[in-house]
Amino acid sequence: MGEPAPPVTLGRRPKPREGRPSAPRPTVSRRREVSHASARSLLMTVLGEYALPRDKPVWTSMLVEVLGILDIEEKSARQALARSAAEGWVVSERVGRRVRWSLTPPGRRLLTEGAERIYAFGREERQWNGQWLMLIVSVPEAKRDLRHRLRTRLTWAGFGSPVAGVWVSPDLTRQREAQQIVNELGLDAQAMSFTAAYGEIGEQESMVARSWDLTELKDRYEDFIDRFTGLHPTGGRAVLRAQTELVHEWRRFPFLDPQLPAELLPAKWSGTKAAELFHHKHVDWRPEAQQYWDDIVEAEEAG
């Protein structure tokens, strides 16, 4: 659940898109992205949602069965386990002819941090005092890999870039994280930061539009809403599948959403509705999904 999100970021607009007609929402392509979720990524979601709270070893056959409910073939499920073990998140133990898996300390820490981020995300509206954190750091064109790493890490930290070499965030607490990023990338010598209110030149709304592609983020939120609003699974197996897919999809948003204060967001922001939907569905489906997991555990132990 808490593994790093795929390296996908919301593209920054080169200029405000005011006056342009809005394009249709790409729901079909988003569905295709959902349906091809990797087996390893789903495995981490399953471990975080069900295995982590119990802190008990899980049989291979059980994980294969649960991933099968999510349309992952047995071969892919076993490969996902092998890759996760190679990366140090899980460790295997042979018991007779059977194998069971436990989270390693790093794996438990990864999933715990991920769970805290996922379940807290969208619960509280952030208060804003109108102050901006500005980071100025430039990387030569020749060092493209370094530029990409800087852009990826600052974007994940919620920063937007209105112009090349300038990054902004309405969250002043991000300064320490920004400092850590530039230090680790060896850019601290030429980096500068400021905190200030927006001035009288230009429009703050235009700066926000240049810094973050809120249209794409809105599309993702609305696809999430479309997918789960009318979903009413019945029976433990169907509820476990729905709950796992709900968490799996929601876990992307803490990495994609810069969590701008309400003053900087469009009216009737779809992220608010999506957050309410996630937390409502998660609470509603959780007891039956967890019970179905326990029923599978009991069946495996009996077998």
Side-chain angles (χ1 to χ4, degrees):
M1 180 187 304
E3 65 170 326
V8 57
T9 56
L10 299 181
R12 179 173 59 82
R13 298 176 184 150
K15 60 182 178 179
R17 300 172 63 177
E18 298 161 359
R20 297 184 187 179
S22 58
R25 203 155 41 83
T27 54
V28 175
S29 62
R30 181 60 178 155
R31 293 292 187 270
R32 190 178 301 117
E33 178 185 336
V34 169
S35 65
H36 288 80
S38 72
R40 180 186 169 281
S41 184
L42 278 167
L43 170 64
M44 297 302 285
T45 299
V46 167
L47 291 173
E49 184 69 10
Y50 306 105
L52 178 65
R54 291 163 176 79
D55 196 23
K56 294 180 179 179
V58 184
W59 297 109
T60 300
S61 55
M62 180 175 175
L63 291 171
V64 168
E65 178 180 348
V66 172
L67 288 173
I69 295 174
L70 298 162
D71 298 329
I72 300 298
E73 296 180 354
E74 179 176 349
K75 179 181 178 181
S76 297
R78 293 181 180 276
Q79 289 175 341
L81 278 166
R83 285 196 296 269
S84 298
E87 293 173 358
W89 306 129
V90 296
V91 62
S92 64
E93 174 190 9
R94 181 167 292 278
V95 182
R97 296 183 177 181
R98 306 175 72 192
V99 174
R100 60 185 184 183
W101 300 83
S102 300
L103 291 168
T104 62
R108 190 176 299 107
R109 183 167 57 252
L110 179 80
L111 294 180
T112 299
E113 292 173 354
E116 292 172 353
R117 181 186 307 115
I118 291 167
Y119 301 140
F121 184 74
R123 280 196 176 277
E124 296 182 2
E125 183 176 318
R126 179 170 297 171
Q127 299 299 313
W128 187 50
N129 63 2
Q131 294 289 304
W132 287 92
L133 168 62
M134 177 187 295
L135 175 69
I136 299 177
V137 54
S138 60
V139 179
E141 177 67 27
K143 298 182 178 180
R144 293 186 178 181
D145 180 63
L146 182 58
R147 293 180 67 181
H148 174 72
R149 290 163 63 195
L150 176 67
R151 180 171 61 252
T152 298
R153 294 189 62 180
L154 286 175
T155 300
W156 281 2
F159 283 83
S161 180
V163 295
V166 177
W167 294 86
V168 294
S169 170
D171 185 356
L172 303 188
T173 66
R174 294 288 187 180
Q175 186 155 201
R176 178 172 295 181
E177 185 174 1
Q179 182 177 25
Q180 181 180 356
I181 291 171
V182 296
N183 286 349
E184 291 178 356
L185 295 179
L187 296 169
D188 49 306
Q190 59 259 47
M192 298 177 284
S193 66
F194 303 86
T195 57
Y198 194 86
E200 297 181 1
I201 301 174
E203 298 292 333
Q204 184 168 252
E205 292 78 7
S206 296
M207 184 189 72
V208 171
R210 288 177 179 271
S211 302
W212 294 279
D213 190 348
L214 296 180
T215 299
E216 183 179 347
L217 180 59
K218 170 178 158 293
D219 289 340
R220 287 177 175 266
Y221 272 130
E222 292 188 359
D223 270 354
F224 179 88
I225 293 168
D226 290 346
R227 183 176 184 198
F228 292 103
T229 295
L231 189 59
H232 303 287
T234 57
R237 180 185 177 92
V239 173
L240 181 139
R241 172 173 178 145
Q243 177 81 329
T244 307
E245 291 178 342
L246 178 82
V247 174
H248 190 70
E249 283 304 296
W250 187 250
R251 57 180 277 196
R252 304 170 186 267
F253 289 111
F255 294 99
L256 297 175
D257 190 340
Q259 301 179 64
L260 300 179
E263 297 93 323
L264 301 176
L265 293 170
K268 299 181 180 179
W269 176 238
S270 56
T272 303
K273 183 177 180 180
E276 293 173 352
L277 176 65
F278 169 77
H279 292 294
H280 172 75
K281 292 287 189 182
H282 189 263
V283 170
D284 189 38
W285 290 341
R286 189 178 190 280
E288 192 166 0
Q290 296 288 334
Q291 183 58 54
Y292 191 76
W293 174 274
D294 288 336
D295 291 344
I296 299 176
V297 170
E298 185 177 343
E300 286 287 337
E301 295 293 345

